[in-house]
Amino acid sequence: MSKRVVNFNAGPAALPLQALERAQREFLDFEGTGMSIMEHSHRGKDYERVHNEAIALLRELLQVPDDYQVLLMQGGATAQFAFIPLNLLPPQKSADFILTGVWARKAFAEAQIVGKARIAANVEGEGGRCTRVPTQAELQLDPEAAYLHFCSNNTIMGTQFHAFPEPPTSVPLFCDMSSDILWRPIDVSKFGLIYAGAQKNIGPSGVTLVIAKKSLIASGREDIPKIFRFKEHAKENSLLNTAPTFAIYMMRNVLAVVKEQGGLAAMEKRNLEKARLVYELIDGEPGFFRSGVEKASRSVMNPVFRLPSEELDKKMVAEAAAAGFVGIKGHKLVGGIRISQYNATTAEQVAQFCEWARGFAKRNG
Ligand code: PMP
């Protein structure tokens, strides 16, 4: 087999090797049908089986309650920034937003185009940069809001909510979980709606997951084109139009591996261990690595840190790549280094990187 690197890309990101190998085995002749799954009709029984298995695995892993619908959509989380207010922000209502970085801000901006949106908390600093998430006490919540929206893991800023915000009882909680869904078990029933682009913990890009309370979907506006209505997608089991069949097939493969590896409890254990390793590296070399993120808000999925100079940041990115650790350059807005370590990244890989990074600090400190 050709050499595979340790891939710390932020998304699209590393996928479990077993999921890729299964795709390789099944690529030309899917289960004896004489064609690739990509060549099957999205209306045929062979594809339908894969489609329903992907949804069933997701429901099982996240223990999605029966009164929630799982939708597989397209257009990424970015399309959901618009879909959600289009469906669920009626003209007479306003929605609350917690601003914690680029993606939360984008969701807010799209909602403002559709209707009334209000800021419940904003931790953005200079240039939109954020070093923490707000506490519950900081939230100024509208008890009449159509929903409260937040982003559970801020992929660019390296911050994460470790306890979810609590909205007033009458207000459903909506969450962009693009970069931390499936990192650990969660209680779906606490949410009105959860959405996530697949390309971090779920599979390849091209499919977007939406989990929403059926009663909310049913309440959605009908004065918008059908293709934008959650209701229509739900009615057709996410086959309203041609689904991204190969992306969903890969999602099935990824979720099957997650299940085989022990499900979300096992993922949580592995992810906490990886986070421990990276933050131990950062905190262990305080003269060289600097984390700007407040400890209580540190992301398990995307730890970020800086070196003493931008030149050293660049040097580390280049030398890491040469050593087989790819994708550690921080987002251009915040600079520095970002270690994106989603479910497919093993603790062994992270430990190898940390050992290499300690050597780099010694050579350059
Ligand atoms: N939300 C979050 C938290 C993200 O990390 C990203 C992409 N990195 C997006 C939204 C946008 O996703 P997409 O490109 O799939 O629209």
Side-chain angles (χ1 to χ4, degrees), residues 54-59 62 64 69-77 80 84 175-178 181-182 186 188 193-199 201-204 206-212 230 238 244 248 251 255:
I55 294 172
L57 278 166
L58 191 105
R59 294 194 83 103
L62 272 173
V64 177
Q69 181 80 40
V70 171
L71 300 177
L72 303 179
M73 299 180 70
Q74 299 185 60
Q80 293 305 321
I84 292 166
C175 184
D176 174 0
M177 267 189 210
S178 291
I181 192 158
L182 303 177
I186 55 162
V188 173
L193 184 148
I194 293 167
Y195 64 103
Q199 64 270 21
N201 266 344
I202 303 173
V207 56
T208 315
L209 170 70
V210 177
I211 304 168
F230 286 139
S238 301
I248 294 170
M251 168 179 167
L255 297 182

Side-chain angles (χ1 to χ4, degrees), residues 10-11 75-79 81 103 151 153-155 176 178-179 197 199-200:
T78 305
F81 296 162
W103 302 114
C151 177
N153 183 68
N154 302 285
T155 327
D176 174 0
S178 291
S179 55
Q199 64 270 21
K200 289 118 164 53

Side-chain angles (χ1 to χ4, degrees), residues 11-22:
L15 292 173
L17 184 60
Q18 301 92 315
L20 295 169
E21 285 172 342
R22 182 175 182 184

Side-chain angles (χ1 to χ4, degrees), residues 166-313:
E166 285 174 28
T169 22
S170 53
V171 177
L173 185 61
F174 288 12
C175 184
D176 174 0
M177 267 189 210
S178 291
S179 55
D180 68 350
I181 192 158
L182 303 177
W183 90 265
R184 62 168 172 155
I186 55 162
D187 181 357
V188 173
S189 74
K190 289 220 156 54
F191 295 85
L193 184 148
I194 293 167
Y195 64 103
Q199 64 270 21
K200 289 118 164 53
N201 266 344
I202 303 173
S205 60
V207 56
T208 315
L209 170 70
V210 177
I211 304 168
K213 211 163 181 173
K214 286 178 180 166
S215 56
L216 263 169
I217 289 182
S219 75
R221 280 170 66 166
E222 299 203 340
D223 57 345
I224 53 175
K226 266 190 172 178
I227 190 69
F228 299 141
R229 289 183 220 159
F230 286 139
K231 218 181 273 192
E232 298 296 327
H233 287 273
K235 215 188 287 170
E236 301 297 332
N237 187 28
S238 301
L239 287 164
L240 180 59
N241 67 322
T242 314
T245 53
F246 194 66
I248 294 170
Y249 160 81
M250 280 306 301
M251 168 179 167
R252 187 282 303 257
N253 286 7
V254 170
L255 297 182
V257 172
V258 172
K259 180 179 169 180
E260 198 184 289
Q261 292 182 340
L264 300 194
M267 292 303 118
E268 178 174 25
K269 206 163 152 230
R270 163 195 290 197
N271 288 322
L272 288 175
E273 172 61 6
K274 292 180 317 195
R276 190 187 66 74
L277 288 168
V278 175
Y279 288 114
E280 200 174 81
L281 165 76
I282 299 169
D283 295 339
E285 309 276 349
F288 194 73
F289 297 127
R290 284 169 298 150
S291 160
V293 174
E294 285 188 12
K295 280 198 176 160
S297 299
R298 285 174 162 183
S299 170
V300 168
M301 295 280 101
N302 312 91
V304 297
F305 55 95
R306 308 190 65 97
L307 275 58
S309 70
E310 277 181 35
E311 287 63 44
L312 278 170
D313 288 343

